[in-house]
Amino acid sequence: MLGAGPAGLSAATAAAAHGARVALLDAAPRTGGQYWRHRSADDGAAHHDWPLFQRLRAAAHTHRARLDHLPGHAVWHIERTVTGFVTHALSDGAPREVHSRTVVVATGAYDRQLPFPGWTLPGVYTAGGVQALLKGHGVVAGRRIVVAGTGPFLLPAAVGMAEAGATVLGVFEAGRPTAFARHPLTTLRAAGKLAEAAHYLRTLRRHRVPYRTRTTVVEAHGADSVTGAVVARLDDRWRIVPGTRRRLECDTVAVGYGFTPQTEIAAQLGCAMDRDADGSLIARVDTRQRSTVPGVYVAGEACGVGGAGLACTEGELAGLHAAYATTGARPDPRGVARLLRLRAARRGFATALHTAYPVRPGWREWLTEETVVCRCEEVTAGAIRHAVRELGATDPRAVKLCARPGMGLCQGRVCGYATAALTAAHAGRDVTAEDLRGLASRPIAQPVPLGLLRDPRSGTMPHHDEEGA
């Protein structure tokens, strides 16, 4: 199992409960992933669905004889063998190997970012970044904070900081959430989510935090750090409405435009990919969470961003069927049918979310020629446009070779979406799945020492036998 967040933890406990030997690998020191990031073993004050995490953690402890949690293991490569797979990871700088018959990829997602003038200034965070500081370390990112972007995740980010004592100057939603009205049945089935959103809005009102739609941050100002942000009204295509710019004095800007599924490992294994409703590249799976590669299951955000509840449901399905593939323990048909119904409802709500909070193309017009797109290599929007128009680079990989966006430490995780969108726009076409797959396909998923590439099998680790999932 790759990833110990909601999907991976659910998959691991389900597989172990059905007799499979499980190795649960995660780069973090504790289970829970980004969603249940916690400062201590029982700190659930700032976390949603904490009782669910406690149940999963207890189940993992119950099945500890068959479930081997391997924290601090950053997976960088997986290879096929005659009997299954070898997962290569780094732990404390040392190479490690895990052998298994099946692999469950539950690698989650990360913040999708859109560049704008000033977004590289200290004090500009992703919405997930400010949440991580607060939930993982009890640190409030700033004193006067502007929250902007699109999607429901802006609400808990703003509420968390307001409750922690920060002055939140406003939540500026680029979209129009009333688009949910186009999906009345799907929305009604998710009454709990609507109640959660209503709670956030009530909390924002109590803290006198304004909530503005069709508005977002289009510039950040400052010398050594952020001192102000410019917000502006947007039209239906997210072009700035003339005369609506205004500056807010602040020391922190938190921006979020949804999430990007982390599909590097799935792409590395050769899994077929699709485009989700929000345009993201996702792994294609069937009703058993099987990918198109035999022995590889995918669950959670790598199949499409949909929240912790959906990730847990898909993880449980993946764990049950991975265990069946390795031990022959057939899952209860009624239980599987219940999970499939739950998955369909939750996936439907996720699709409605993506439809209600799309990223419109007008954001590209916020950029100047000098706006940095790739922070690692300091590649500007002008350099990307030059590569397309003057050097004939018509796809993101060609632009990467000509102008170096995505060549830095993050390997395009931060700038990949923006680079693909700018390249396609200036080439006169839409972003394709092949564009995104080209950015996600990496033989090395994590930074590793060069010496490891010379001798990738130099590490030592007890091998999990062929019954491992």
Side-chain angles (χ1 to χ4, degrees):
M1 309 291 175
L2 309 184
L9 195 53
S10 297
T13 54
H18 283 71
R21 290 193 61 195
V22 177
L24 177 61
L25 286 75
D26 194 273
R30 293 185 291 264
T31 57
Q34 296 295 326
Y35 186 71
W36 286 312
R37 181 189 289 265
H38 43 99
R39 299 193 295 276
S40 66
D42 297 302
D43 177 20
H47 299 75
H48 299 290
D49 299 324
W50 191 250
L52 173 58
F53 171 65
Q54 290 178 312
R55 289 196 299 273
L56 288 171
R57 187 175 59 184
H61 181 74
T62 298
H63 300 293
R64 62 189 180 279
R66 290 191 296 273
L67 199 165
D68 190 4
H69 176 218
L70 303 174
H73 282 65
V75 175
W76 62 274
H77 183 67
I78 299 180
E79 62 177 306
R80 293 192 66 94
T81 66
V82 175
T83 57
F85 303 89
V86 179
T87 297
H88 297 275
L90 280 179
S91 178
D92 292 326
R96 297 289 186 262
E97 292 182 5
V98 176
H99 291 232
S100 64
R101 285 183 58 186
T102 62
V103 171
V104 177
V105 179
T107 43
Y110 50 90
D111 291 84
R112 174 190 287 163
Q113 300 182 59
L114 298 182
F116 54 88
W119 76 297
T120 59
L121 283 169
V124 178
Y125 296 81
T126 64
V130 298
Q131 280 284 76
L133 283 173
L134 186 62
K135 293 166 69 173
H137 305 283
V139 174
V140 183
R143 296 184 302 275
R144 292 175 58 81
I145 302 174
V146 173
V147 179
T150 192
F153 186 66
L154 300 181
L155 297 178
V159 165
M161 289 182 288
E163 294 277 74
T167 299
V168 180
L169 301 178
V171 177
F172 300 98
E173 164 60 60
R176 182 176 289 172
T178 52
F180 267 121
R182 301 170 190 163
H183 309 274
L185 294 178
T186 300
T187 304
L188 287 174
R189 292 192 190 106
K193 292 293 184 182
L194 295 179
E196 187 179 318
H199 166 72
Y200 289 138
L201 291 171
R202 286 194 300 270
T203 306
L204 290 177
R205 281 198 297 270
R206 177 161 53 83
H207 287 280
R208 298 182 179 180
V209 176
Y211 179 78
R212 302 284 182 261
T213 60
R214 285 291 171 86
T215 309
T216 196
V217 169
V218 296
E219 289 180 42
H221 293 162
D224 297 325
S225 62
V226 170
T227 58
V230 175
V231 299
R233 290 277 297 167
L234 305 176
D235 65 15
D236 288 348
R237 291 179 55 80
W238 287 17
R239 294 170 297 199
I240 296 172
V241 176
T244 63
R245 293 172 180 259
R246 62 189 178 99
R247 178 181 167 119
L248 300 175
E249 303 300 321
C250 62
D251 59 18
T252 304
V253 178
V255 289
Y257 287 92
F259 298 92
T260 298
Q262 194 155 306
T263 56
E264 292 92 343
I265 295 295
Q268 188 183 97
L269 286 164
C271 301
M273 298 289 179
D274 291 323
R275 293 284 300 280
D276 203 3
D278 66 346
S280 297
L281 190 71
I282 58 173
R284 184 187 306 165
V285 296
D286 63 11
T287 56
R288 298 184 181 186
Q289 299 300 134
R290 295 180 300 187
S291 75
T292 55
V293 176
V296 177
Y297 298 76
V298 186
E301 316 292 48
C303 303
V305 174
L310 176 59
C312 287
T313 301
E314 293 183 341
E316 188 173 353
L317 281 167
L320 290 173
H321 292 297
Y324 175 53
T326 56
T327 69
R330 186 180 297 275
D332 175 24
R334 288 175 297 181
V336 170
R338 177 188 63 81
L339 289 171
L340 288 174
R341 289 193 298 271
L342 193 57
R343 185 181 75 162
R346 288 173 169 171
R347 182 56 70 191
F349 182 73
T351 300
L353 270 181
H354 295 325
T355 305
Y357 294 98
V359 173
R360 300 296 187 187
W363 67 268
R364 299 189 295 261
E365 298 181 16
W366 311 343
L367 311 185
T368 66
E369 290 291 289
E370 294 75 31
T371 301
V372 171
V373 175
C374 172
R375 296 157 59 130
C376 298
E377 295 292 315
E378 298 184 344
V379 180
T380 64
I384 291 174
R385 290 164 178 156
H386 175 77
V388 177
R389 293 170 175 167
E390 305 299 329
L391 304 180
T394 57
D395 65 80
R397 290 180 68 85
V399 170
K400 182 176 179 179
L401 294 173
C402 292
R404 296 189 61 81
M407 286 284 200
L409 186 62
C410 86
Q411 287 292 287
R413 290 175 178 84
V414 175
C415 66
Y417 177 83
T419 298
L422 288 171
T423 301
H426 293 296
R429 60 178 180 80
D430 294 328
V431 176
T432 67
E434 192 58 35
D435 290 335
L436 298 175
R437 185 179 181 106
L439 292 167
S441 297
R442 304 181 186 96
I444 302 171
Q446 300 284 344
V448 295
L450 287 175
L452 185 66
L453 302 182
R454 183 180 65 248
D455 185 13
R457 296 183 178 276
S458 61
T460 59
M461 169 176 253
H463 291 175
H464 288 254
D465 65 23
E466 292 187 1
E467 294 305 313

